[in-house]
Amino acid sequence: MKERDSESFESLSHQVLPNTSNSTHMIQMAMANSGSSAAAQAGQDQPDRSKWLLDCPEPPSPWHELKRQVKGSFLTKAKRFKSLQKQPLPKRILSILQAIFPIFGWCRNYKLTMFKNDLMAGLTLASLCIPQSIGYATLAKLDPQYGLYTSVVPPLIYALMGTSREIAIGPVAVVSLLISSMLQKLIDPETDPLGYKKLVLTTTFFAGIFQASFGLFRLGFLVDFLSHAAIVGFMGGAAIVIGLQQLKGLLGITNFTTNTDIVSVLRAVWRSCQQQWSPHTFILGCSFLSFILITRFIGKKYKKLFWLPAIAPLIAVVVSTLMVFLTKADEHGVKTVKHIKGGLNPISIHDLDFNTPHLGQIAKIGLIIAIVALTEAIAVGRSFAGIKGYRLDGNKEMVAIGFMNVLGSFTSCYAATGSFSRTAVNFAAGCETAMSNIVMAVTVFVALECLTRLLYYTPIAILASIILSALPGLININEAIHIWKVDKFDFLALIGAFFGVLFASVEIGLLVAVVISFAKIILISIRPGIETLGRMPGTDTFADTNQYPMTVKTPGVLIFRVKSALLCFANASSIEERIMGWVDEEEEEENTKSNGKRKILFVILDMSNLINVDTSGITALVELNNKLIQTGVELVIVNPKWQVIHKLNQAKFVSRIGGKVYLTIGEALDACFGLKV
């Protein structure tokens, strides 16, 4: 029945079919109206076309698929190895180096004009990085020099091994918060700073090992457990927590809570404000915070002045340091950074502590930091790679970030990753390659060697204002609104992460987000949607009747499609019950219209979405078929995938339904009406 007039369907649907024989008679009338020759021809063609499905070869087993993938991977590597063997030794060495260190690829075409752009971008980046690194180190409860150390070695390692041209490597606010909030529960940084430093370095080592392992073993999917919505909520909550913690420096408070939840922080601020705080510190910090925010507004309004907000934090540090030095404000309650240890990164392999009783907790914290840092870095890298029009290799990125953190833990660095704010500055400054990271690292090293003594009088309030000025970029209200409009369940994960971080702790916020994301997957699997299909007028296309109200239902037939890739133990019973519920509901409706006479003859199940079925799914199909037979309705299967039809054949289900398996819904309708005729 290739062409069925929608009007004949509508007229038929209003007629009463007294019994099964009358139903057959009315279907004969419908076929006569639409052309019985087409149905007769279809009846001749269908068996051959159905055999394409029923006689298809046996699909590969899971073991065979795994073996094929492993074999394919080894063959690819073997071909590369053979091609390397054919090359001369110098080219062979260069090819190996390019595979491990991408810098050997792009540096061959590096030009002086590109270096000029990278030099400008690197210097601009360093002017922002130096004050931010000092501030983020204090956020991580470390001495200021550790932030500068982290801006020297990791960027150099990444420049050698990374594939992103724009990403700026160094300490970031969220990772610094994670380190301080979770590790200070094990050792108090105030009472045992040396032990705390060892924990931080050991955690960084574990984070690097996890990150490199994800890349080497292609386990990047683990990073996807933190969905985009969860990251947006987590970043927003973390930004508010970080901002509240900076009130300690902005107000000049001495005693402050170690908790990160908003209630504890606000309670500590209220108590401190009632007892002792420094108005001079507050005025100084707020003044330079306003200055930095104003320059950022000017930079956004006038694109040519992109460098102004980049150097504003450095200007704030220099000017405020001079003010404190000249006015001796440190003698009037303004707290300063004081001593910052200068010089090259000291070797810290001996500080890695694997004998600590907290080793298991350190590894867990390292895993959390590894996933959060990778998520941020890859998201930042892919954003700017998309703008520039090149592909970012996710696995190489993980390996590069992992190795830079492992080597960083050997050289007094804590966990580093890609910073969105500094990457945006790097991009706006016109960087061409990862050379800008090298320029930035060299500049920070020079600052460590020559300028640390000049930072003695730098007010802590300025570092707090610099961190506060970077936080608005972490709160993405527009994206939260977009997620709310698109997917309410994703928004629930966002809200869970946001409030979890805000009112409980960082790890609780992450846990809530992951649990909600998994709950969404499980709920969709357990309660998949089921569509009732109808024919689009004038076509052979069948679509969802709710989405397309103009579709025409075929009299005597119910057509269903399951919106799930799996028919398994989790959803099989639910799908069976819902289909039977629909059939009973349709029967009752038709009984009312036709004075108690049955009208449903066939249920067609479109399996085009299903890619696999398990024994529970097959059992549910058998039970569905038995229940339908008891009510005088026949079950028809349409377009089952390779694995599905193979398992249905193995379970003898195809023979149970009389071999009624077809490629398309149209063919199923033609065959069914032909059988009844």
Side-chain angles (χ1 to χ4, degrees), residues 25-60:
H25 175 68
M26 297 308 298
I27 293 173
Q28 288 175 339
M29 291 174 59
M31 290 186 60
N33 291 337
S34 61
S36 60
S37 60
Q41 183 64 36
Q44 296 175 3
D45 293 342
Q46 298 318 314
D48 292 333
R49 291 171 64 87
S50 296
K51 284 182 179 179
W52 297 351
L53 279 171
L54 299 175
D55 298 338
C56 59
E58 184 175 338

Side-chain angles (χ1 to χ4, degrees), residues 105-116:
W106 56 260
C107 72
R108 296 169 66 187
N109 302 318
Y110 200 66
K111 299 176 182 178
L112 183 61
T113 54
M114 297 171 71
F115 177 71
K116 289 179 180 178

Side-chain angles (χ1 to χ4, degrees), residues 47-119:
D48 292 333
R49 291 171 64 87
S50 296
K51 284 182 179 179
W52 297 351
L53 279 171
L54 299 175
D55 298 338
C56 59
E58 184 175 338
S61 64
W63 169 250
H64 180 78
E65 280 289 312
L66 179 63
K67 190 166 66 174
R68 184 182 63 81
Q69 290 178 6
V70 173
K71 185 179 177 181
S73 178
F74 275 110
L75 284 175
T76 303
K77 291 178 181 178
K79 287 179 182 178
R80 289 178 183 175
F81 183 72
K82 285 182 180 179
S83 64
L84 281 176
Q85 285 183 324
K86 295 177 183 179
Q87 295 178 1
L89 184 60
K91 285 188 177 181
R92 195 184 311 168
I93 294 172
L94 184 61
S95 297
I96 294 172
L97 288 175
Q98 285 179 0
I100 301 173
F101 304 106
I103 190 173
F104 286 99
W106 56 260
C107 72
R108 296 169 66 187
N109 302 318
Y110 200 66
K111 299 176 182 178
L112 183 61
T113 54
M114 297 171 71
F115 177 71
K116 289 179 180 178
N117 292 333
D118 285 336
L119 179 64

Side-chain angles (χ1 to χ4, degrees), residues 62 76 106 119 173 209 274 320 355 359 392 421 445 475 513 524 541 601 615 650 667:
T76 303
W106 56 260
L119 179 64
I209 291 294
Q274 286 181 324
S320 63
N355 297 319
L359 191 63
L392 197 71
S421 60
F445 170 67
I475 303 174
I524 291 173
T541 302
L601 301 176
T615 53
Q650 291 292 101
E667 290 177 4

Side-chain angles (χ1 to χ4, degrees), residues 116-125 306-307 310 423-432:
K116 289 179 180 178
N117 292 333
D118 285 336
L119 179 64
M120 177 64 181
L123 293 174
T124 307
L125 204 55
F306 68 88
W307 50 269
T423 302
V425 169
N426 196 27
F427 176 79
C431 73
E432 298 280 352

